[in-house]
Amino acid sequence: MNGPLLNGAWARLAREQRAPLVALAAMTFVTALLAVTVPARVAAGYDRAAGAAVSGQDVRVEARTDAATLGRFLPLADDVTVRSATWYDDLPADLRRVVGAPETSVGTNEMATAGPFLEPRLVTLAWDPGALKRVRFVAGTPPEDPPGDGPADGPGGKRGQEIQVAVSKAYADRFGYRPGTPLDLSGGDAGAPPRQGAEGLRARVAGVYVPRDAADPYWTARADMLWVRTELRGEGVRVHIGTALASGGGYWRLAHGAPGRRLTVSWRFPVDAGAVGRGTASGMAADLEAYRAAVRNRGDLFPCAVVTALDARLRSYAGQLRSGEAVIALTLSGLAAIAAGVLLLGAGMLGRRLGPVLATMRARGASLRQLAAPACGLPALAVLPAAAAGSGAGLLLDTGPPQAASACAVGALVVLVLALPAVTIVRDHGAGERGGGLAAVTGRRGDLVVARPSRRRLVLEALLIVLAAMGVVLLRGRGAGAGADPLIAAVPVLLGAATGVLVLRVYPYLLRALGRTMRRGPGIVAFVGVARASRQGVLGALPLVVLLLAAAVAGFAATVGAALERGQDRAAWAVVGADARVSAELLDRGAVARVRALPGVRDAVPARIVRDLRPASGPVRVTLIAIDLEGYQRVAPGRLPAHPRGALLSPAAAGELGTRPLTLSSPNFPEIRVEPSGRIDDFPGVPHGTPFVVVPFRALTGTGAVPSTVYVRGDPGTAALRGALQASLPPGLLGGDPYREVQVRRDVLDGMRRAPMVGVVQDTFRDAALLGAAYGLLAVLLVLVVEARSRGRGLAHLHVLGLTRRQGRRLAVVEIAPVLLSAAGAGWVLGLLLPGVTGPVVDLRPYTGGHAVSNHAADPAALPALLAVLLLAAATAVAVDRAFDTRHDLAAVLRTGD
């Protein structure tokens, strides 16, 4: 009989408390959902950034050797392919999982094509089986092995040194090559004296090809196989460089034709960016070092070395990852604390409504264990299924790889919510009918204004403040390399809690002062509203801490996000030096006029940048920057010292050259007199620490007074600038010149902001700010809804005394205003101070190209957003007051209260 009665009592109790139970279940579901999806999304962003960092990269085992050595160790083309399996087996296991099949190639040095050419033509002969499989022939046929080509025919074979090759359509169209065109390469390596046995090497074009897919990553490291590269070498000599593909028989002739011929043998392992994640990237650097040692220690082949650019990419990613983990941990920890506060608030509201029931049970002789059944069972009934459902829904959304921290966070929140009733029971009923239990029966109030904190509470609050201070000291001591350390995550929560304790200490005095002020006022609404706010207990002030943390998270996100954007803007200025920059080895004298005539250009300033100048004595090499100083001040205000009288020296140049007048020159540049007059720390486009000198453009004379760079003010189109650059190049300079460059500051800035890791950080800031605001509003709504019944009873008496409906709405806003304003103000100030408090941990230099980010001022648009949230909270109070308006049924409400 006890079972059905007990079940009936439980069901009746659950029905009576269905409103707080549903609210607690909903909040638990949302919190569990976010605890699974947000960390998974961040982890997926880390993985995408790792893949982007290594995209297009490779690991190459290379050797530069002569043909005699290559022919002795790897006489056949198949031997090169077989050797690739050995190098693949030597790869460390983790590195092997992220690289693709090996790609083998053998190529000569650049060789000059003999002929009556005005400008040298250099060609590299390459044996690359993978390239021949990725091209389509539009003329002729693929290169074939001549009959009888092989070891039995000796070094020369039946056709001497002639090799069939294929060239790209761009190369053939540039120089008029067709199938059957001979290439005389008997001159040997370009720029080097002919080697013994190099004479007689000839090639013949067998076919002309185009790539099947020009966007194939295979061509990233083989651009010369598709296009013609033009460079300025020596004293302004333009040379044209391309690559011709040879067949397998061509490999035999390269390896055995001329013993002294220099060859480059390469086994390339392309990196699969899709297989690289955060965990993989962290171990790739160590794997690369181990692989270098393994290749270097192989004694069964000629010396080889590992060549890759992955090291720099991985270091850059590691720096961005450490910085991102640090600032994201600071943000997500605050968000987790907000969620925990809201859940505790919901559980506390439920416990408050169960208080009279538990007090009655205790008065009738119930034990603490019997009290724990309804106190802990009802929250468990709401929390456990909701937590499971939220976690399952988060996994189904598949926002990224599941994180162990998500399960820990959900479990900790559930335990926290279920432990709160047990702690409350022991505190209120452990020593009999005292404290909260007696208050629940007798109706004794525990107003926040008149309540005196116990010694235990004072000790806990002091301990919390001390822990927050110690956390800040330890955090600043660890510096930028701390990464996602648990201490980093705890500091904002500790600071928020400590600030909340201080605000709660000041809050009663604020209410008392407001009460005395409003008592003298003409209206009744303000006085009654402050009086009702003063009668809230400690539980009613818990939303203050939640709102404070929400405002702190929003302020921190807005501050750091704005600082990052400002730092990237300054970094883009430092890279380009103006709104846009046009550069080449040399421009004609009309280049500035052409750029000024473009739509959107407001001003243009000429400059000449010459590298590797030397003084009359000493080994130092200096970069000379000749620029119109006054014009550049108009184009980029504040980038140069005001009113320079002469040359400006960088710190490195001043240390090497001194401060006396001197002369700089080079074999290709006339002498220029430099009279130092000041210092300049940096100049756009010049690496930090490089010795450089800035002089007025008018100091150049003769052939030296020709611009190589034009700095632009305005917003011209990139295509228009490229057209002006092409029109300003000296006659005969063709495409592919690496010294040509068009940089638009807006494009550089967009490139920085589109970086994957920057997107992860900015998206996390945005989501944390929005979720923090949503949780803050949810806390306000929860308090208003759960307390609506008791508030309705109080307002019913005031309505009888003449309180109008409009005054009731105003009263709802006044009641909640002290909590909102105190929490939002204190939290916002804490959020603005957090970047400075955390110090070197918030290191954003990896996202700005190494430029320091020191201006941690909040985005001006963030303050109106905060005010909008406060107004929304006030509107929520009015809406709840309207929904639970009891004016139409005063008699029923008053009878309930009497």
Side-chain angles (χ1 to χ4, degrees):
M1 184 173 179
N2 291 335
L5 288 176
L6 185 59
N7 292 336
W10 271 83
R12 184 168 58 255
L13 188 59
R15 284 196 303 270
E16 291 176 354
Q17 308 300 333
R18 60 181 178 273
L21 285 176
V22 170
L24 185 59
M27 289 186 297
T28 303
F29 176 85
V30 173
T31 301
L33 177 68
L34 294 175
V36 173
T37 55
V38 172
R41 183 181 178 186
V42 172
Y46 290 156
D47 291 340
R48 287 194 302 271
V54 302
S55 178
Q57 298 300 304
D58 56 33
V59 178
R60 300 191 307 277
V61 179
E62 281 190 358
R64 299 183 183 275
T65 184
D66 54 62
T69 304
L70 178 64
R72 184 170 67 253
F73 284 95
L74 304 173
L76 301 176
D78 290 342
D79 296 328
V80 182
T81 304
V82 171
R83 189 68 195 187
S84 65
T86 303
W87 295 133
Y88 186 80
D89 292 338
D90 287 344
L91 285 166
D94 291 339
L95 190 59
R96 189 186 309 154
R97 281 193 288 267
V98 300
V99 299
E103 303 165 355
T104 58
S105 65
V106 177
T108 66
N109 287 351
E110 296 171 352
M111 296 183 291
T113 304
F117 310 128
L118 296 177
E119 297 173 340
R121 301 177 185 178
L122 306 183
V123 65
T124 299
L125 295 185
W127 170 74
D128 195 317
L132 287 174
K133 295 177 182 178
R134 291 173 171 83
V135 299
R136 176 174 56 85
F137 282 84
V138 295
T141 60
E144 298 179 353
D145 300 339
D149 198 17
D153 299 296
K158 290 186 177 180
R159 300 181 61 183
Q161 288 291 306
E162 185 174 278
I163 300 176
Q164 288 194 14
V165 297
V167 297
S168 67
K169 187 175 185 301
Y171 194 90
D173 292 345
R174 175 68 61 84
F175 303 120
Y177 292 156
R178 297 292 180 266
T181 302
L183 301 178
D184 185 357
L185 306 176
S186 59
D189 294 351
R195 297 177 181 272
Q196 182 67 28
E199 294 80 10
L201 178 60
R202 297 178 182 277
R204 187 174 298 274
V205 177
V208 178
Y209 61 81
V210 294
R212 296 183 184 274
D213 180 12
D216 190 336
Y218 189 87
W219 302 114
T220 302
R222 301 171 175 84
D224 286 354
M225 294 182 182
L226 302 183
W227 317 107
V228 180
R229 178 163 46 96
T230 301
E231 291 185 1
L232 292 173
R233 294 186 179 179
E235 297 182 4
V237 177
R238 285 176 289 275
V239 297
H240 310 292
I241 308 161
T243 298
L245 296 177
S247 64
Y251 169 79
W252 168 257
R253 297 189 183 282
L254 292 176
H256 299 277
R261 181 178 299 129
R262 302 300 297 175
L263 300 172
T264 300
V265 190
S266 175
W267 293 269
R268 178 178 181 270
F269 299 93
V271 176
D272 180 9
V276 178
R278 174 179 55 174
T280 310
S282 62
M284 286 180 65
D287 286 352
L288 283 172
E289 290 302 320
Y291 191 49
R292 281 193 176 94
V295 171
R296 187 169 53 248
N297 294 332
R298 296 286 303 202
D300 55 348
L301 194 66
F302 42 80
C304 299
V306 175
V307 180
T308 181
L310 273 178
D311 305 80
R313 293 289 193 97
L314 292 173
R315 283 194 298 270
S316 175
Y317 171 74
Q320 291 185 356
L321 180 63
R322 283 194 300 270
S323 178
E325 287 179 335
V327 295
I328 288 176
L330 292 172
T331 306
L332 294 186
S333 66
L335 187 60
I338 296 169
V342 172
L343 289 180
L344 288 177
L345 180 61
M349 290 296 179
L350 176 61
R352 182 175 180 177
R353 295 188 52 165
L354 288 175
V357 176
L358 298 179
T360 303
M361 293 175 60
R362 184 63 167 169
R364 293 177 177 178
S367 65
L368 295 181
R369 181 178 300 178
Q370 291 173 321
L371 294 180
C376 299
L378 285 181
L381 185 65
V383 168
L384 294 179
S391 301
L395 294 175
L396 290 177
L397 289 177
D398 192 21
T399 57
Q403 301 297 299
S406 299
C408 295
V410 173
L413 290 175
V414 169
V415 171
L416 191 64
V417 171
L418 296 183
L420 179 64
V423 174
T424 304
I425 289 174
V426 173
R427 184 197 65 183
D428 293 344
H429 305 284
E433 293 182 350
R434 60 181 179 85
L438 184 60
V441 176
T442 62
R444 182 186 300 173
R445 295 195 337 241
D447 295 353
L448 186 64
V449 173
V450 299
R452 290 187 176 182
S454 63
R455 294 182 179 179
R456 182 182 303 174
R457 179 183 169 187
L458 291 175
V459 171
L460 290 177
E461 291 177 351
L463 179 62
L464 183 61
I465 295 174
V466 171
L467 287 176
M470 291 176 58
V472 171
V473 173
L474 294 176
L475 182 66
R476 294 179 65 89
R478 295 196 178 187
D485 192 285
L487 176 63
I488 295 176
V491 167
V493 178
L494 291 174
L495 286 175
T499 306
V501 167
L502 296 177
V503 172
L504 286 177
R505 284 281 169 231
V506 176
Y507 186 65
Y509 298 101
L510 175 64
L511 291 178
R512 291 175 186 174
L514 284 175
R516 287 193 295 268
T517 303
M518 297 306 174
R519 187 182 300 121
R520 305 187 187 95
I524 191 176
V525 174
F527 170 71
V528 173
V530 173
R532 289 179 59 83
S534 302
R535 293 187 177 184
Q536 294 178 351
V538 177
L539 185 62
L542 186 58
L544 186 146
V545 180
V546 175
L547 292 172
L548 187 148
L549 287 173
V553 168
F556 176 77
T559 303
V560 178
L564 177 57
E565 291 184 356
R566 285 189 291 266
Q568 290 174 333
D569 185 70
R570 286 195 298 272
W573 270 105
V575 170
V576 180
D579 291 329
R581 185 179 68 191
V582 178
S583 303
E585 182 70 14
L586 283 177
L587 299 171
D588 64 22
R589 298 180 185 273
V592 179
R594 292 189 185 93
V595 173
R596 283 175 178 164
L598 294 176
V601 174
R602 297 195 296 272
D603 200 355
V605 176
R608 178 74 185 271
I609 300 177
V610 185
R611 294 172 175 82
D612 296 334
L613 295 184
R614 292 186 177 182
S617 61
V620 63
R621 296 189 176 187
V622 181
T623 297
L624 176 72
I625 304 167
I627 189 170
D628 180 358
L629 298 178
E630 294 181 359
Y632 189 67
Q633 289 283 30
R634 297 193 306 269
V635 170
R639 302 294 166 177
L640 295 176
H643 310 296
R645 299 186 305 275
L648 302 173
L649 274 62
S650 69
E656 295 286 349
L657 304 176
T659 58
R660 295 182 179 180
L662 70 152
T663 301
L664 298 176
S665 63
S666 76
N668 303 320
F669 191 79
E671 290 186 353
I672 181 171
R673 184 71 172 172
V674 175
E675 297 183 1
S677 67
R679 298 288 184 90
I680 181 172
D681 293 330
D682 294 288
F683 194 85
V686 180
H688 183 73
T690 301
F692 67 89
V693 177
V694 179
V695 300
F697 192 80
R698 62 177 179 271
L700 302 179
T701 58
T703 59
V706 179
S708 64
T709 303
V710 179
Y711 291 96
V712 181
R713 180 186 180 191
D715 190 19
T718 305
L721 284 175
R722 288 199 177 99
L725 171 62
Q726 186 69 29
S728 301
L729 296 173
L733 186 59
L734 301 176
D737 175 18
Y739 297 98
R740 300 189 319 160
E741 188 177 40
V742 171
Q743 283 189 311
V744 178
R745 185 180 62 86
R746 183 185 62 245
D747 296 341
V748 174
L749 181 60
D750 290 343
M752 290 182 181
R753 292 178 177 175
R754 285 196 301 265
M757 190 63 76
V758 174
V760 174
V761 173
Q762 293 285 32
D763 290 348
T764 304
F765 284 163
R766 180 201 61 212
D767 295 343
L770 293 177
L771 291 175
Y775 268 116
L777 291 175
L778 184 61
V780 174
L781 179 62
L782 178 66
V783 173
L784 292 174
V785 171
V786 173
E787 296 294 319
R789 182 183 301 176
S790 60
R791 183 174 183 275
R793 293 193 184 100
L795 289 181
H797 292 86
L798 296 176
H799 286 316
V800 172
L801 297 176
L803 187 72
T804 64
R805 187 183 300 270
R806 177 176 298 181
Q807 289 176 322
R809 305 287 185 262
R810 290 168 53 195
L811 184 61
V813 175
V814 173
E815 285 184 28
I816 200 173
V819 170
L820 289 178
L821 296 177
S822 300
W828 187 256
V829 172
L830 175 62
L832 298 183
L833 295 177
L834 264 180
V837 172
T838 52
V841 172
V842 184
D843 182 16
L844 303 177
R845 288 177 298 177
Y847 308 117
T848 60
H851 296 271
V853 178
S854 57
N855 185 4
H856 289 103
D859 187 351
L863 188 57
L866 176 65
L867 296 178
V869 173
L870 294 177
L871 292 176
L872 184 59
T876 301
V878 174
V880 172
D881 181 81
R882 186 187 300 272
F884 290 88
D885 191 359
T886 58
R887 186 182 177 88
H888 63 281
D889 195 12
L890 292 179
V893 173
L894 290 178
R895 284 197 301 270
T896 302
D898 289 339

